Amino acid sequence: MSRLGTLGARLYRGEVGYDFVGKRKIWYGISILITITAIVGLAVRGLNMGIEFSGGAVFTTPKTSVSATQARTTAEETSGHTAVVQKLGDRTLRVQVSDLTPEQSRKTQEALAKKLNVPLDKVNTDIVGPSWGDQIADKAWTGLAAFMVLVVIYLAIAFEWRMALAALIALVHDLTITVGVYALVGFEVTPGTVIGLLTILGYSLYDTVVVFDGLKEGSKDLTKQARFTYSEMANRSLNGTLVRSINTTVVALLPVAGLLFIGGGFLGAGMLNDISLALFVGLAAGAYSSIFIATPLVADLKERDPQMKALAKRVRARRAADAAKAEAGEAPEDATDADDAEDAAAGVVGQRSQTASRNRGRGGATGKRR
């Protein structure tokens, strides 16, 4: 077995682990800081909406030796608006200008044809009205709202309302960060961006549900034992799925990183940037929120339940009693067979320390009783 596989097995059995839930205030602080930065970027810079949402014109030129910079300058001087120029694979150019009237579009087409020294009809022009973009935006918001409602209803039925609320907060967290990064970077928002956002929401939810499922199984009959609080059981469940979450995130990020950094950056295929950036940032934020936000939030909400408060009190009392017995040289309470049965009923996993009382009445290597 590989080292990563061995580590995953030890995490699952509870032999090793990191206290994610116990240090949740640190993760909350980091998330709040990132979210505030995203909101400030969104408020100050705003989103660079594509023509699908703002309206405008797209001009596609024939093969030309004119550079993208020259075409951009011509389009901006003629239209009075910012132009986005992309080089296509067959040495053609795609010139996109937002907020153009039909008259401005005609003048820009004529200026580009003159600059390229080609007939007017060789410069293909597609005009997109702002009303069409508004329809797309409205449908996107409607789809997003329906998705959120269905997610909350499903999780509340399959798990409980606290997990549904925590998952919803994690999804909003991921959306805010992704949109904020778009504002800070200045990438254009297109229908591909919307597709990317909806995709990463599903991925983030998948990781969160995996952890919640383990937590649901591990917390069955949790109040019948006195070894672990709900927060501690939540942390054990989180550690048990940690390697799986890391593996799936890395595997998902590699092809997306190829699209973003190699396809969009190195090779200059700018049309890949809109969806690849949303996927890359969203996948990373989704993995973070599943580990550091969703599960700690569930633990925070659950610990306010009277039964869990009583459980936490019993756990503290038992540990205090065990510490007192240890100082007196007596065997701690959790070394009895009755506790093993209690832990098994509560779904607690992990290796237990073996004490001398376990071997009382047993023989040596032959196993015969003395």
Side-chain angles (χ1 to χ4, degrees):
M1 184 181 293
S2 65
R3 291 184 178 180
L4 189 59
T6 302
L7 176 61
R10 296 185 66 194
L11 285 168
Y12 180 79
R13 293 193 298 266
E15 297 173 12
V16 296
Y18 184 79
D19 192 9
F20 293 102
V21 177
K23 298 181 179 180
R24 53 186 175 269
K25 291 184 178 179
I26 298 176
W27 319 132
Y28 293 165
I30 294 174
S31 293
I32 291 172
L33 180 61
I34 296 174
T35 303
I36 291 176
T37 303
I39 293 174
V40 170
L42 184 61
V44 173
R45 299 197 59 174
L47 291 174
N48 179 21
M49 306 301 291
I51 63 169
E52 294 87 355
F53 297 101
S54 62
V58 178
F59 307 94
T60 305
T61 71
K63 291 183 180 180
T64 178
S65 58
V66 175
S67 66
T69 303
Q70 292 173 323
R72 181 185 303 109
T73 302
T74 300
E76 290 179 346
E77 290 177 351
T78 305
S79 64
H81 297 278
T82 302
V84 177
V85 182
Q86 295 174 339
K87 287 184 177 181
L88 304 181
D90 54 354
R91 291 173 53 196
T92 61
L93 299 177
R94 183 178 184 268
V95 183
Q96 178 177 304
V97 187
S98 300
D99 302 321
L100 286 187
T101 63
E103 183 180 353
Q104 290 174 324
S105 299
R106 178 73 178 181
K107 289 182 179 179
T108 304
Q109 182 186 18
E110 292 173 350
L112 288 172
K114 183 178 179 180
K115 182 66 178 180
L116 274 61
N117 195 24
V118 297
L120 183 63
D121 59 357
K122 294 294 184 181
V123 178
N124 185 45
T125 304
D126 293 320
I127 300 176
V128 180
S131 60
W132 187 74
D134 291 338
Q135 292 177 5
I136 293 180
D138 291 340
K139 291 179 180 179
W141 282 113
T142 302
L144 181 61
F147 174 82
M148 293 290 192
V149 171
L150 291 174
V151 163
V152 171
I153 293 175
Y154 170 76
L155 290 180
I157 295 174
F159 298 98
E160 61 171 298
W161 69 267
R162 296 176 184 84
M163 292 184 178
L165 179 59
L168 180 62
I169 293 174
L171 289 177
V172 174
H173 167 273
D174 300 341
L175 267 179
T176 304
I177 291 178
T178 306
V179 173
V181 169
Y182 254 86
L184 293 172
V185 174
F187 277 13
E188 194 174 49
V189 177
T190 67
T193 306
V194 178
I195 294 172
L197 287 175
L198 294 177
T199 302
I200 60 104
L201 289 180
Y203 180 89
S204 173
L205 188 63
Y206 168 79
D207 257 4
T208 302
V209 168
V210 168
V211 180
F212 284 177
D213 186 62
L215 177 55
K216 180 182 178 181
E217 292 296 322
S219 59
K220 285 182 178 179
D221 298 322
L222 186 64
T223 56
K224 295 180 180 179
Q225 53 85 53
R227 291 186 64 214
F228 299 104
T229 64
Y230 187 89
S231 291
E232 291 168 345
M233 179 54 64
N235 194 71
R236 291 168 67 89
S237 299
L238 184 55
N239 277 278
T241 59
L242 182 61
V243 172
R244 177 178 178 178
S245 297
I246 293 175
N247 285 338
T248 54
T249 301
V250 171
V251 170
L253 280 176
L254 286 177
V256 176
L259 286 176
L260 179 61
F261 298 109
I262 299 178
F266 182 72
L267 298 179
M271 289 180 289
L272 296 174
N273 288 336
D274 52 359
I275 188 171
S276 59
L277 180 64
L279 289 173
F280 187 83
V281 176
L283 289 175
Y288 174 85
S289 66
S290 298
I291 297 172
F292 297 98
I293 302 299
T295 306
L297 273 176
V298 171
D300 266 336
L301 294 171
K302 195 72 174 180
E303 289 287 4
R304 299 180 182 183
D305 185 89
Q307 287 186 331
M308 296 306 159
K309 287 182 178 179
L311 172 62
K313 187 176 180 180
R314 292 201 309 272
V315 171
R316 289 192 297 268
R318 176 173 175 174
R319 290 175 181 173
D322 287 347
K325 289 182 178 181
E327 290 181 1
E330 301 177 15
E333 210 178 310
D334 63 351
T336 65
D337 291 334
D339 287 323
D340 283 341
E342 180 182 270
D343 294 340
V348 177
V349 295
Q351 287 189 344
R352 299 283 307 280
S353 58
Q354 306 294 325
T355 61
S357 62
R358 299 284 184 126
N359 297 322
R360 191 175 297 151
R362 295 180 182 175
T366 63
K368 295 182 180 179
R369 296 185 179 274
R370 297 175 185 267

